[in-house]
Amino acid sequence: MNQRTWPDRSNGSRFAAFQFTNIINSKNQQSPELHSSSHKTKVKRYNYLFSSRSPPQPTDAAHDFASLPFDILTRIAASFTLPHLRAASLVCRSWSDALRPLREAMVLLRWGKRFKHGRGGVRKNLDKALDSFLKGAARGLTLAMVDAGLVYWEMDKKEEAIALYRRAAELGDPAGQCNLGISYLQAQPPNRKEAVKWLCKASITGHVRAQYQLALCLHQSGRVDRNLREAARWYLKAAEGGYVRAMYNISLCYSVGEGLPQSRSQARKWMKRAADCGHGKAQFEHGLGLFSEGDMMKAVVYLELASRAGETAAIHVKNVILQQLSATSRDRVVLLADSWRALPSAH
């Protein structure tokens, strides 16, 4: 395969180098101080750096980027995001040519998302969305494979979805690995061994949903496979990555000392963080904690938020507290609850 980098370094520089040698020599005649040994060394260095000679050629051990086969390159770049794909396409002309199908797939992926969600001036059309995703998947883009799999899953065509998840997972896509792992968990009967295998691969890359699902597997497995310490470790990683349900679970782990040392302060910290991110049960639990400490105003606000999130158990406690507050305070509670906004999270 005669593919070369662009521009080819063997052709030499396209621009004439500035002749600094003459400039420096003319200055030497005017200033005798320049004839010292240190200045002679500098002159030699400038002569070398700005000479018109071509730079040293790379050794045989050095790799030429353009010599990488197209099929290997496209497999490596299959799970790239758009910024990474654009950067890789600028390395050389050969890479730009090899990655053209993936760039086209990115355009198809964008159109698929527009049709799926009815954005960008187009009407929602799941069939057109699936068609765009499948065309992107055919060009080798794992992001399109995952989105096509999601549409198939919504259509209850789970075999087609799993096949696409597997293709994406084998190409190293963390979302594909996570979805494939979850598919094994939801199979009849569940295949926990394969699920843990793929969830672990995705978790190592930092995929927070996979970390949470892996923690659940290790936490809820049978007595033989159960590993509370590893479960708590992955809960904590997912919580630190912004996954709200992991925040709630790691708070419970700290509260009872399951998988890690018991810590009331850490339990309260993560429960409040989950509550502030909109987790209904966490809002209820945090409200009860504030109520037990006597902070009625804050407690009733969190209980009101929990009630609105569907936690019916919070309604009774909230009403008991409201009866102890003045009319002004009750109006203040409603105002605070109406103006509350959840903190950003990874869901």
Side-chain angles (χ1 to χ4, degrees), residues 174 177 196-208 210-212 214 230 233-234 237:
Q177 293 168 345
V196 169
K197 166 189 166 182
W198 288 108
L199 289 173
C200 189
K201 286 178 181 289
S203 297
I204 292 171
T205 68
H207 194 281
V208 291
Q211 292 171 344
Y212 173 72
L214 177 60
E230 279 296 295
R233 184 170 78 89
W234 287 113
K237 283 185 176 293

Side-chain angles (χ1 to χ4, degrees), residues 11-247:
N11 295 335
S13 175
R14 294 171 53 196
F15 304 98
F18 290 106
Q19 298 298 327
F20 277 80
T21 307
N22 296 335
I23 299 174
I24 295 171
N25 289 338
S26 63
K27 289 186 177 181
N28 289 346
Q29 295 175 1
Q30 297 174 5
S31 304
E33 294 84 2
L34 291 177
H35 291 285
S36 63
S37 59
S38 62
H39 285 87
K40 288 180 178 179
T41 303
K42 292 181 180 178
V43 170
K44 290 180 179 179
R45 187 181 303 151
Y46 289 140
N47 288 343
Y48 172 75
L49 290 175
F50 296 99
S51 66
S52 59
R53 293 179 299 172
S54 60
Q57 296 297 319
T59 62
D60 294 337
H63 294 287
D64 186 356
F65 289 140
S67 65
L68 194 64
F70 278 17
D71 58 338
I72 295 178
L73 180 59
T74 52
R75 284 181 65 87
I76 293 173
S79 59
F80 278 12
T81 59
L82 182 58
H84 293 156
L85 189 59
R86 284 174 174 169
S89 299
L90 294 174
V91 171
C92 62
R93 179 175 290 173
S94 176
W95 281 31
S96 179
D97 293 341
L99 299 178
R100 183 177 292 111
L102 294 179
R103 294 197 302 274
E104 294 172 353
M106 280 290 182
V107 177
L108 292 164
L109 176 69
R110 192 182 309 122
W111 276 104
K113 289 183 179 294
R114 288 178 179 176
F115 283 120
K116 183 178 180 180
H117 303 289
R119 295 193 303 235
V122 299
R123 292 182 179 180
K124 186 174 180 180
N125 189 320
L126 208 57
D127 291 330
K128 288 186 177 181
L130 179 59
D131 182 62
S132 294
F133 291 146
L134 289 175
K135 287 178 179 178
R139 286 166 170 78
L141 186 68
T142 61
L143 297 174
M145 297 175 195
V146 172
D147 276 342
L150 289 171
V151 175
Y152 272 133
W153 196 271
E154 291 177 13
M155 293 177 171
D156 203 28
K157 297 181 178 180
K158 296 187 177 180
E159 291 185 4
E160 291 88 341
I162 292 173
L164 286 163
Y165 292 155
R166 182 177 295 280
R167 281 180 59 194
E170 290 173 349
L171 288 168
D173 187 274
Q177 293 168 345
C178 177
N179 289 4
L180 182 60
I182 294 173
S183 300
Y184 278 119
L185 289 176
Q186 296 181 359
Q188 294 298 330
N191 189 336
R192 290 187 177 274
K193 184 177 180 180
E194 282 295 304
V196 169
K197 166 189 166 182
W198 288 108
L199 289 173
C200 189
K201 286 178 181 289
S203 297
I204 292 171
T205 68
H207 194 281
V208 291
R209 188 186 179 201
Q211 292 171 344
Y212 173 72
Q213 291 292 337
L214 177 60
L216 280 179
C217 279
L218 297 171
H219 196 180
Q220 298 175 350
S221 296
R223 293 182 179 179
V224 177
D225 300 328
R226 200 177 190 199
N227 190 330
L228 296 180
R229 182 174 297 179
E230 279 296 295
R233 184 170 78 89
W234 287 113
Y235 278 142
L236 184 58
K237 283 185 176 293
E240 291 171 343
Y243 203 77
V244 182
R245 282 179 277 184
M247 296 178 192

